[in-house]
Amino acid sequence: NFMLTQPHSVSGSPGKTVTISCTRSSGRIASNYVQWYQQRPGSSPTTIIFNDGQRPSGVPDRFSGSVDSSSNSASLTISGLETEDEADYYCQSSDIDNPMVFGGGTKLTVL
Amino acid sequence: EVQLVESGGGFVQPGGSLRLSCAGSGFIFDNYWMVWVRQAPGKGLVWVARINMNGKITQYADSVKGRFTISRDNAKNTLYLQMNTLRAEDTAVYFCATEYVQGVDHWGQGSLVTVSS
């Protein structure tokens, strides 16, 4: 089984840009799509990025996703930080034996 | 608008059983694989089980294999999770969700299951 490792927490000021990394422990990151989910306190998760870098309708283009094969990791970048972005963020991917593996989650604090 | 509404959660003693339901609306239910994902208090998301469109293919996380059964009734647009031989470590909020490609598309609001003596 592979793991997805995320930083426990990140922070940024309103208007700034933050990036959350998601590193795959084994297997190639580019072999399977990466998704990102946002979970605000007390709410269920919502999908903000699918298929590495696609945004569902209604998700602002301040949110972007990418994959870097050289570091075997994916990244979620949030630009123009807003206070409402304060939430937990989870990456997720898969392989043939593991349909859905989630990262441990990153708590974003908007200072 | 896609809606997924879970029900059936509650308090149960170790070794007991519970069945969760998830009613879907606003989309063509039998066009989607469906999944259950759980979240223990203060912890992260963990995949539990998935089922294909006609209900004939199912997969389970090792932690629940042999104890949990995922099923669906497409005529009722409803997903189920039968949970038997429950353990304290099964305590979590259980989310049903639609699966899209290799991830989750839409999430329900969750149903809390508490296993305690």
Short mmCIF file of all heavy atoms in Angstrom, two decimals, chain A residues 1 31-35 37 39 43-47 50-51 56 88 90 92-94 96-104, chain B residues 35-39 42-48 50 59-60 62 95 98-110:
data_model
loop_
_atom_site.label_atom_id
_atom_site.label_comp_id
_atom_site.label_asym_id
_atom_site.label_seq_id
_atom_site.Cartn_x
_atom_site.Cartn_y
_atom_site.Cartn_z
N ASN A 1 0.84 -1.20 0.00
CA ASN A 1 0.00 0.00 0.00
C ASN A 1 0.87 1.24 0.00
O ASN A 1 1.86 1.32 0.71
CB ASN A 1 -0.88 0.03 1.24
CG ASN A 1 -1.98 -1.01 1.19
OD1 ASN A 1 -2.01 -1.83 0.30
ND2 ASN A 1 -2.87 -0.97 2.16
N SER A 31 0.74 8.16 -12.48
CA SER A 31 0.04 6.97 -12.96
C SER A 31 -1.45 6.99 -12.65
O SER A 31 -2.24 6.29 -13.29
CB SER A 31 0.65 5.71 -12.34
OG SER A 31 1.97 5.52 -12.80
N ASN A 32 -1.84 7.75 -11.65
CA ASN A 32 -3.24 7.83 -11.25
C ASN A 32 -3.59 9.27 -10.92
O ASN A 32 -2.76 10.01 -10.38
CB ASN A 32 -3.50 6.95 -10.02
CG ASN A 32 -3.16 5.50 -10.25
OD1 ASN A 32 -2.03 5.08 -10.03
ND2 ASN A 32 -4.12 4.74 -10.73
N TYR A 33 -4.80 9.64 -11.21
CA TYR A 33 -5.23 11.01 -10.95
C TYR A 33 -5.18 11.33 -9.45
O TYR A 33 -5.37 10.47 -8.60
CB TYR A 33 -6.66 11.24 -11.45
CG TYR A 33 -6.77 11.35 -12.94
CD1 TYR A 33 -7.67 10.55 -13.66
CD2 TYR A 33 -5.99 12.27 -13.66
CE1 TYR A 33 -7.79 10.65 -15.03
CE2 TYR A 33 -6.10 12.38 -15.03
CZ TYR A 33 -7.00 11.58 -15.72
OH TYR A 33 -7.11 11.68 -17.08
N VAL A 34 -4.96 12.62 -9.20
CA VAL A 34 -4.98 13.14 -7.83
C VAL A 34 -6.17 14.08 -7.70
O VAL A 34 -6.43 14.91 -8.59
CB VAL A 34 -3.68 13.88 -7.49
CG1 VAL A 34 -3.78 14.51 -6.08
CG2 VAL A 34 -2.49 12.94 -7.56
N GLN A 35 -6.89 13.93 -6.61
CA GLN A 35 -8.00 14.81 -6.28
C GLN A 35 -7.66 15.58 -4.99
O GLN A 35 -6.83 15.13 -4.18
CB GLN A 35 -9.28 14.00 -6.03
CG GLN A 35 -10.00 13.49 -7.26
CD GLN A 35 -9.18 12.53 -8.10
OE1 GLN A 35 -8.91 12.78 -9.27
NE2 GLN A 35 -8.76 11.41 -7.50
N TYR A 37 -9.72 17.74 -1.77
CA TYR A 37 -10.99 18.01 -1.11
C TYR A 37 -10.79 19.05 -0.01
O TYR A 37 -9.79 19.04 0.69
CB TYR A 37 -11.56 16.73 -0.51
CG TYR A 37 -11.62 15.59 -1.50
CD1 TYR A 37 -10.70 14.55 -1.43
CD2 TYR A 37 -12.57 15.57 -2.52
CE1 TYR A 37 -10.72 13.51 -2.36
CE2 TYR A 37 -12.59 14.54 -3.45
CZ TYR A 37 -11.66 13.52 -3.36
OH TYR A 37 -11.69 12.50 -4.29
N GLN A 39 -12.49 20.64 3.46
CA GLN A 39 -13.45 20.37 4.52
C GLN A 39 -13.40 21.50 5.54
O GLN A 39 -12.46 21.60 6.33
CB GLN A 39 -13.20 19.03 5.19
CG GLN A 39 -14.29 18.64 6.20
CD GLN A 39 -14.07 17.26 6.81
OE1 GLN A 39 -12.95 16.82 7.01
NE2 GLN A 39 -15.18 16.58 7.13
N SER A 43 -18.32 20.68 8.61
CA SER A 43 -19.00 20.38 7.34
C SER A 43 -18.44 19.13 6.69
O SER A 43 -17.37 18.64 7.06
CB SER A 43 -18.83 21.56 6.38
OG SER A 43 -19.45 22.71 6.89
N SER A 44 -19.16 18.62 5.72
CA SER A 44 -18.66 17.49 4.95
C SER A 44 -17.66 18.01 3.92
O SER A 44 -17.64 19.19 3.59
CB SER A 44 -19.81 16.74 4.29
OG SER A 44 -20.55 17.60 3.46
N PRO A 45 -16.81 17.12 3.40
CA PRO A 45 -15.85 17.55 2.39
C PRO A 45 -16.54 17.99 1.10
O PRO A 45 -17.69 17.58 0.83
CB PRO A 45 -15.01 16.29 2.13
CG PRO A 45 -15.25 15.41 3.30
CD PRO A 45 -16.65 15.70 3.75
N THR A 46 -15.84 18.80 0.32
CA THR A 46 -16.28 19.12 -1.03
C THR A 46 -15.09 18.92 -1.96
O THR A 46 -13.93 19.09 -1.55
CB THR A 46 -16.81 20.55 -1.17
OG1 THR A 46 -15.76 21.47 -0.83
CG2 THR A 46 -17.99 20.79 -0.25
N THR A 47 -15.36 18.59 -3.20
CA THR A 47 -14.31 18.35 -4.18
C THR A 47 -13.92 19.68 -4.82
O THR A 47 -14.77 20.38 -5.37
CB THR A 47 -14.78 17.37 -5.25
OG1 THR A 47 -15.21 16.16 -4.60
CG2 THR A 47 -13.67 17.04 -6.22
N PHE A 50 -10.15 17.79 -9.34
CA PHE A 50 -10.18 16.39 -9.75
C PHE A 50 -9.29 16.21 -10.97
O PHE A 50 -8.91 17.20 -11.64
CB PHE A 50 -11.62 15.92 -10.03
CG PHE A 50 -12.28 16.58 -11.22
CD1 PHE A 50 -12.28 15.96 -12.46
CD2 PHE A 50 -12.92 17.80 -11.09
CE1 PHE A 50 -12.89 16.56 -13.56
CE2 PHE A 50 -13.53 18.41 -12.17
CZ PHE A 50 -13.51 17.79 -13.42
N ASN A 51 -8.91 14.99 -11.25
CA ASN A 51 -8.04 14.69 -12.40
C ASN A 51 -6.81 15.60 -12.42
O ASN A 51 -6.49 16.23 -13.45
CB ASN A 51 -8.81 14.83 -13.72
CG ASN A 51 -9.88 13.77 -13.87
OD1 ASN A 51 -10.15 13.00 -12.95
ND2 ASN A 51 -10.52 13.74 -15.02
N PRO A 56 -14.16 21.55 -10.49
CA PRO A 56 -15.61 21.44 -10.70
C PRO A 56 -16.21 22.82 -10.89
O PRO A 56 -15.64 23.83 -10.45
CB PRO A 56 -16.12 20.80 -9.40
CG PRO A 56 -14.90 20.18 -8.77
CD PRO A 56 -13.76 21.04 -9.17
N ASP A 88 -9.59 22.26 6.35
CA ASP A 88 -8.69 21.14 6.16
C ASP A 88 -8.73 20.74 4.69
O ASP A 88 -9.80 20.74 4.07
CB ASP A 88 -9.11 19.95 7.02
CG ASP A 88 -8.95 20.22 8.50
OD1 ASP A 88 -8.01 20.96 8.88
OD2 ASP A 88 -9.76 19.70 9.29
N TYR A 90 -7.48 17.75 1.87
CA TYR A 90 -7.03 16.37 1.71
C TYR A 90 -6.73 16.08 0.23
O TYR A 90 -7.54 16.40 -0.63
CB TYR A 90 -8.12 15.39 2.17
CG TYR A 90 -8.43 15.45 3.64
CD1 TYR A 90 -9.41 16.31 4.13
CD2 TYR A 90 -7.75 14.63 4.55
CE1 TYR A 90 -9.70 16.37 5.48
CE2 TYR A 90 -8.05 14.68 5.91
CZ TYR A 90 -9.01 15.55 6.36
OH TYR A 90 -9.30 15.59 7.70
N GLN A 92 -5.97 12.91 -2.55
CA GLN A 92 -6.42 11.52 -2.68
C GLN A 92 -5.99 10.97 -4.04
O GLN A 92 -6.05 11.68 -5.04
CB GLN A 92 -7.94 11.43 -2.53
CG GLN A 92 -8.56 10.06 -2.79
CD GLN A 92 -9.08 9.94 -4.20
OE1 GLN A 92 -9.75 10.82 -4.71
NE2 GLN A 92 -8.78 8.82 -4.86
N SER A 93 -5.55 9.74 -4.05
CA SER A 93 -5.23 9.08 -5.31
C SER A 93 -5.50 7.59 -5.16
O SER A 93 -6.12 7.17 -4.17
CB SER A 93 -3.78 9.37 -5.70
OG SER A 93 -3.55 8.96 -7.04
N SER A 94 -5.04 6.79 -6.11
CA SER A 94 -5.39 5.38 -6.12
C SER A 94 -4.33 4.56 -6.84
O SER A 94 -3.40 5.12 -7.44
CB SER A 94 -6.75 5.20 -6.80
OG SER A 94 -6.68 5.67 -8.14
N ILE A 96 -4.05 0.13 -8.53
CA ILE A 96 -4.86 -1.03 -8.90
C ILE A 96 -5.39 -1.79 -7.68
O ILE A 96 -6.48 -2.36 -7.71
CB ILE A 96 -4.04 -1.96 -9.83
CG1 ILE A 96 -4.93 -3.02 -10.44
CG2 ILE A 96 -2.86 -2.57 -9.09
CD1 ILE A 96 -5.92 -2.48 -11.47
N ASP A 97 -4.63 -1.76 -6.60
CA ASP A 97 -5.03 -2.51 -5.40
C ASP A 97 -5.73 -1.65 -4.34
O ASP A 97 -6.31 -2.19 -3.40
CB ASP A 97 -3.81 -3.16 -4.76
CG ASP A 97 -3.16 -4.19 -5.66
OD1 ASP A 97 -3.92 -4.99 -6.26
OD2 ASP A 97 -1.93 -4.20 -5.77
N ASN A 98 -5.65 -0.36 -4.48
CA ASN A 98 -6.17 0.57 -3.47
C ASN A 98 -7.02 1.62 -4.16
O ASN A 98 -6.49 2.62 -4.65
CB ASN A 98 -5.03 1.23 -2.71
CG ASN A 98 -4.11 0.22 -2.06
OD1 ASN A 98 -4.43 -0.31 -1.01
ND2 ASN A 98 -2.98 -0.05 -2.70
N PRO A 99 -8.33 1.43 -4.17
CA PRO A 99 -9.20 2.32 -4.94
C PRO A 99 -9.14 3.78 -4.51
O PRO A 99 -9.25 4.67 -5.34
CB PRO A 99 -10.59 1.75 -4.70
CG PRO A 99 -10.37 0.34 -4.33
CD PRO A 99 -9.07 0.31 -3.61
N MET A 100 -9.01 4.02 -3.22
CA MET A 100 -8.93 5.41 -2.76
C MET A 100 -8.02 5.48 -1.55
O MET A 100 -8.30 4.89 -0.51
CB MET A 100 -10.32 5.93 -2.38
CG MET A 100 -11.17 6.33 -3.54
SD MET A 100 -12.66 7.16 -3.02
CE MET A 100 -13.57 7.11 -4.56
N VAL A 101 -6.95 6.24 -1.69
CA VAL A 101 -6.04 6.50 -0.58
C VAL A 101 -6.03 8.00 -0.35
O VAL A 101 -5.83 8.78 -1.30
CB VAL A 101 -4.62 5.99 -0.90
CG1 VAL A 101 -3.66 6.40 0.21
CG2 VAL A 101 -4.63 4.48 -1.06
N PHE A 102 -6.26 8.39 0.89
CA PHE A 102 -6.28 9.82 1.24
C PHE A 102 -5.00 10.19 1.97
O PHE A 102 -4.44 9.39 2.75
CB PHE A 102 -7.46 10.13 2.16
CG PHE A 102 -8.81 10.03 1.51
CD1 PHE A 102 -9.50 8.83 1.49
CD2 PHE A 102 -9.39 11.14 0.91
CE1 PHE A 102 -10.76 8.73 0.88
CE2 PHE A 102 -10.63 11.05 0.30
CZ PHE A 102 -11.31 9.84 0.28
N GLY A 103 -4.56 11.41 1.75
CA GLY A 103 -3.51 11.97 2.58
C GLY A 103 -4.05 12.27 3.97
O GLY A 103 -5.27 12.24 4.19
N GLY A 104 -3.17 12.56 4.89
CA GLY A 104 -3.57 12.78 6.26
C GLY A 104 -4.27 14.10 6.53
O GLY A 104 -4.83 14.31 7.60
N VAL B 35 -19.51 5.13 -3.14
CA VAL B 35 -18.52 4.78 -2.13
C VAL B 35 -19.00 5.23 -0.75
O VAL B 35 -19.85 6.10 -0.62
CB VAL B 35 -17.15 5.44 -2.42
CG1 VAL B 35 -16.62 5.02 -3.78
CG2 VAL B 35 -17.22 6.94 -2.31
N TRP B 36 -18.42 4.58 0.27
CA TRP B 36 -18.52 5.03 1.65
C TRP B 36 -17.12 5.42 2.11
O TRP B 36 -16.16 4.68 1.89
CB TRP B 36 -19.08 3.94 2.55
CG TRP B 36 -20.53 3.66 2.37
CD1 TRP B 36 -21.09 2.67 1.63
CD2 TRP B 36 -21.63 4.40 2.94
NE1 TRP B 36 -22.47 2.73 1.70
CE2 TRP B 36 -22.82 3.78 2.49
CE3 TRP B 36 -21.73 5.51 3.79
CZ2 TRP B 36 -24.09 4.24 2.87
CZ3 TRP B 36 -22.98 5.97 4.15
CH2 TRP B 36 -24.16 5.34 3.70
N VAL B 37 -17.03 6.56 2.74
CA VAL B 37 -15.79 7.07 3.33
C VAL B 37 -16.11 7.45 4.77
O VAL B 37 -17.17 8.00 5.04
CB VAL B 37 -15.29 8.32 2.56
CG1 VAL B 37 -14.07 8.93 3.25
CG2 VAL B 37 -14.95 7.95 1.11
N ARG B 38 -15.20 7.15 5.69
CA ARG B 38 -15.47 7.50 7.08
C ARG B 38 -14.39 8.39 7.66
O ARG B 38 -13.28 8.48 7.13
CB ARG B 38 -15.62 6.23 7.93
CG ARG B 38 -14.36 5.42 8.16
CD ARG B 38 -14.70 4.15 8.94
NE ARG B 38 -13.53 3.32 9.22
CZ ARG B 38 -13.56 2.13 9.81
NH1 ARG B 38 -14.74 1.61 10.19
NH2 ARG B 38 -12.44 1.46 10.03
N GLN B 39 -14.75 9.04 8.76
CA GLN B 39 -13.84 9.98 9.42
C GLN B 39 -14.02 9.85 10.93
O GLN B 39 -15.06 10.26 11.46
CB GLN B 39 -14.12 11.41 8.95
CG GLN B 39 -13.14 12.44 9.49
CD GLN B 39 -13.35 13.81 8.85
OE1 GLN B 39 -14.48 14.23 8.59
NE2 GLN B 39 -12.26 14.52 8.60
N GLY B 42 -11.88 13.85 14.91
CA GLY B 42 -10.60 14.55 14.89
C GLY B 42 -9.55 13.96 13.95
O GLY B 42 -8.40 14.40 13.97
N LYS B 43 -9.96 13.00 13.14
CA LYS B 43 -9.01 12.32 12.25
C LYS B 43 -9.32 12.61 10.79
O LYS B 43 -10.21 13.38 10.46
CB LYS B 43 -9.06 10.80 12.50
CG LYS B 43 -8.74 10.41 13.93
CD LYS B 43 -7.33 10.77 14.34
CE LYS B 43 -7.00 10.26 15.72
NZ LYS B 43 -5.62 10.66 16.15
N GLY B 44 -8.56 11.96 9.90
CA GLY B 44 -8.71 12.19 8.47
C GLY B 44 -9.71 11.26 7.81
O GLY B 44 -10.39 10.47 8.46
N LEU B 45 -9.79 11.39 6.50
CA LEU B 45 -10.73 10.61 5.70
C LEU B 45 -10.15 9.23 5.37
O LEU B 45 -8.97 9.12 5.05
CB LEU B 45 -11.04 11.35 4.40
CG LEU B 45 -11.62 12.76 4.56
CD1 LEU B 45 -11.66 13.48 3.21
CD2 LEU B 45 -13.00 12.70 5.18
N VAL B 46 -11.01 8.23 5.42
CA VAL B 46 -10.58 6.85 5.12
C VAL B 46 -11.64 6.19 4.25
O VAL B 46 -12.82 6.16 4.62
CB VAL B 46 -10.38 6.03 6.41
CG1 VAL B 46 -10.02 4.59 6.07
CG2 VAL B 46 -9.31 6.66 7.29
N TRP B 47 -11.22 5.64 3.13
CA TRP B 47 -12.14 4.91 2.26
C TRP B 47 -12.56 3.60 2.92
O TRP B 47 -11.75 2.90 3.53
CB TRP B 47 -11.46 4.63 0.92
CG TRP B 47 -12.22 3.69 0.05
CD1 TRP B 47 -13.35 3.96 -0.67
CD2 TRP B 47 -11.93 2.31 -0.19
NE1 TRP B 47 -13.77 2.84 -1.33
CE2 TRP B 47 -12.92 1.81 -1.06
CE3 TRP B 47 -10.93 1.44 0.25
CZ2 TRP B 47 -12.94 0.49 -1.51
CZ3 TRP B 47 -10.94 0.13 -0.18
CH2 TRP B 47 -11.94 -0.34 -1.06
N VAL B 48 -13.85 3.26 2.79
CA VAL B 48 -14.40 2.06 3.42
C VAL B 48 -14.79 1.01 2.39
O VAL B 48 -14.41 -0.16 2.49
CB VAL B 48 -15.63 2.42 4.29
CG1 VAL B 48 -16.31 1.16 4.83
CG2 VAL B 48 -15.23 3.35 5.42
N ARG B 50 -16.72 0.37 -1.89
CA ARG B 50 -17.27 0.91 -3.12
C ARG B 50 -18.08 -0.15 -3.83
O ARG B 50 -17.85 -1.36 -3.62
CB ARG B 50 -16.16 1.45 -4.05
CG ARG B 50 -15.24 0.39 -4.60
CD ARG B 50 -13.96 0.98 -5.16
NE ARG B 50 -14.10 1.70 -6.41
CZ ARG B 50 -13.63 1.28 -7.58
NH1 ARG B 50 -13.05 0.09 -7.67
NH2 ARG B 50 -13.73 2.02 -8.68
N GLN B 59 -15.88 -3.68 -3.40
CA GLN B 59 -14.53 -3.72 -2.84
C GLN B 59 -14.59 -3.12 -1.44
O GLN B 59 -15.40 -2.21 -1.19
CB GLN B 59 -13.55 -2.92 -3.70
CG GLN B 59 -13.16 -3.59 -5.00
CD GLN B 59 -12.15 -2.74 -5.77
OE1 GLN B 59 -12.50 -1.81 -6.45
NE2 GLN B 59 -10.88 -3.09 -5.62
N TYR B 60 -13.69 -3.62 -0.58
CA TYR B 60 -13.70 -3.19 0.82
C TYR B 60 -12.29 -2.90 1.30
O TYR B 60 -11.32 -3.54 0.87
CB TYR B 60 -14.31 -4.27 1.71
CG TYR B 60 -15.75 -4.60 1.39
CD1 TYR B 60 -16.06 -5.60 0.48
CD2 TYR B 60 -16.78 -3.89 1.98
CE1 TYR B 60 -17.39 -5.90 0.18
CE2 TYR B 60 -18.11 -4.18 1.68
CZ TYR B 60 -18.39 -5.18 0.78
OH TYR B 60 -19.71 -5.46 0.47
N ASP B 62 -9.42 -3.34 4.02
CA ASP B 62 -9.09 -4.53 4.82
C ASP B 62 -9.69 -4.45 6.22
O ASP B 62 -10.07 -5.46 6.79
CB ASP B 62 -7.57 -4.67 4.92
CG ASP B 62 -6.93 -5.14 3.62
OD1 ASP B 62 -7.68 -5.62 2.74
OD2 ASP B 62 -5.71 -4.99 3.47
N PHE B 95 -19.60 8.99 5.43
CA PHE B 95 -20.07 9.77 4.29
C PHE B 95 -20.33 8.84 3.11
O PHE B 95 -19.50 7.98 2.80
CB PHE B 95 -19.02 10.79 3.84
CG PHE B 95 -18.65 11.82 4.86
CD1 PHE B 95 -17.48 11.70 5.61
CD2 PHE B 95 -19.45 12.94 5.08
CE1 PHE B 95 -17.12 12.65 6.54
CE2 PHE B 95 -19.10 13.89 6.02
CZ PHE B 95 -17.94 13.74 6.75
N THR B 98 -20.58 9.92 -4.48
CA THR B 98 -20.50 9.41 -5.84
C THR B 98 -19.04 9.34 -6.25
O THR B 98 -18.24 10.21 -5.88
CB THR B 98 -21.27 10.32 -6.82
OG1 THR B 98 -20.72 11.64 -6.75
CG2 THR B 98 -22.74 10.36 -6.49
N GLU B 99 -18.70 8.30 -6.99
CA GLU B 99 -17.33 8.15 -7.45
C GLU B 99 -17.24 8.64 -8.89
O GLU B 99 -18.12 8.35 -9.72
CB GLU B 99 -16.89 6.69 -7.38
CG GLU B 99 -15.45 6.47 -7.78
CD GLU B 99 -15.01 5.03 -7.63
OE1 GLU B 99 -15.35 4.38 -6.63
OE2 GLU B 99 -14.30 4.54 -8.54
N TYR B 100 -16.21 9.42 -9.17
CA TYR B 100 -16.00 9.92 -10.53
C TYR B 100 -14.56 9.64 -10.92
O TYR B 100 -13.64 10.08 -10.23
CB TYR B 100 -16.29 11.41 -10.61
CG TYR B 100 -16.02 11.99 -11.98
CD1 TYR B 100 -16.90 11.75 -13.03
CD2 TYR B 100 -14.89 12.76 -12.23
CE1 TYR B 100 -16.65 12.26 -14.29
CE2 TYR B 100 -14.64 13.28 -13.48
CZ TYR B 100 -15.52 13.02 -14.51
OH TYR B 100 -15.27 13.53 -15.76
N VAL B 101 -14.36 8.93 -12.00
CA VAL B 101 -13.02 8.51 -12.45
C VAL B 101 -12.33 7.81 -11.28
O VAL B 101 -12.70 6.73 -10.91
CB VAL B 101 -12.22 9.68 -13.02
CG1 VAL B 101 -10.94 9.19 -13.68
CG2 VAL B 101 -13.05 10.45 -14.03
N GLN B 102 -11.36 8.43 -10.66
CA GLN B 102 -10.64 7.76 -9.58
C GLN B 102 -10.81 8.46 -8.24
O GLN B 102 -10.04 8.25 -7.32
CB GLN B 102 -9.15 7.66 -9.94
CG GLN B 102 -8.90 6.83 -11.18
CD GLN B 102 -7.47 6.95 -11.68
OE1 GLN B 102 -6.64 7.63 -11.09
NE2 GLN B 102 -7.18 6.29 -12.78
N GLY B 103 -11.85 9.31 -8.17
CA GLY B 103 -12.03 10.06 -6.92
C GLY B 103 -13.49 10.25 -6.59
O GLY B 103 -14.37 9.59 -7.16
N VAL B 104 -13.75 11.15 -5.66
CA VAL B 104 -15.11 11.45 -5.23
C VAL B 104 -15.61 12.70 -5.94
O VAL B 104 -14.88 13.68 -6.09
CB VAL B 104 -15.17 11.64 -3.71
CG1 VAL B 104 -16.52 12.22 -3.29
CG2 VAL B 104 -14.91 10.33 -3.00
N ASP B 105 -16.86 12.63 -6.35
CA ASP B 105 -17.50 13.73 -7.05
C ASP B 105 -18.35 14.55 -6.07
O ASP B 105 -18.09 15.71 -5.82
CB ASP B 105 -18.35 13.12 -8.16
CG ASP B 105 -18.82 14.13 -9.16
OD1 ASP B 105 -18.38 15.29 -9.09
OD2 ASP B 105 -19.64 13.77 -10.02
N HIS B 106 -19.37 13.93 -5.52
CA HIS B 106 -20.28 14.60 -4.59
C HIS B 106 -20.32 13.84 -3.27
O HIS B 106 -20.26 12.61 -3.26
CB HIS B 106 -21.69 14.69 -5.18
CG HIS B 106 -21.76 15.54 -6.40
ND1 HIS B 106 -21.77 16.92 -6.36
CD2 HIS B 106 -21.80 15.21 -7.72
CE1 HIS B 106 -21.83 17.39 -7.60
NE2 HIS B 106 -21.85 16.37 -8.44
N TRP B 107 -20.43 14.58 -2.18
CA TRP B 107 -20.42 14.02 -0.84
C TRP B 107 -21.77 14.25 -0.15
O TRP B 107 -22.42 15.27 -0.36
CB TRP B 107 -19.36 14.71 0.01
CG TRP B 107 -17.96 14.57 -0.46
CD1 TRP B 107 -17.36 15.23 -1.50
CD2 TRP B 107 -16.95 13.72 0.10
NE1 TRP B 107 -16.04 14.84 -1.61
CE2 TRP B 107 -15.77 13.93 -0.64
CE3 TRP B 107 -16.92 12.81 1.17
CZ2 TRP B 107 -14.57 13.25 -0.36
CZ3 TRP B 107 -15.75 12.14 1.45
CH2 TRP B 107 -14.58 12.36 0.69
N GLY B 108 -22.15 13.30 0.71
CA GLY B 108 -23.29 13.50 1.58
C GLY B 108 -22.88 14.30 2.81
O GLY B 108 -21.71 14.66 2.97
N GLN B 109 -23.84 14.53 3.69
CA GLN B 109 -23.56 15.32 4.89
C GLN B 109 -22.98 14.49 6.03
O GLN B 109 -22.44 15.05 6.99
CB GLN B 109 -24.83 16.06 5.36
CG GLN B 109 -25.72 15.30 6.33
CD GLN B 109 -26.49 14.15 5.69
OE1 GLN B 109 -26.50 14.00 4.46
NE2 GLN B 109 -27.14 13.34 6.50
N GLY B 110 -23.08 13.19 5.92
CA GLY B 110 -22.48 12.30 6.92
C GLY B 110 -23.47 11.81 7.95
O GLY B 110 -24.47 12.48 8.26
#
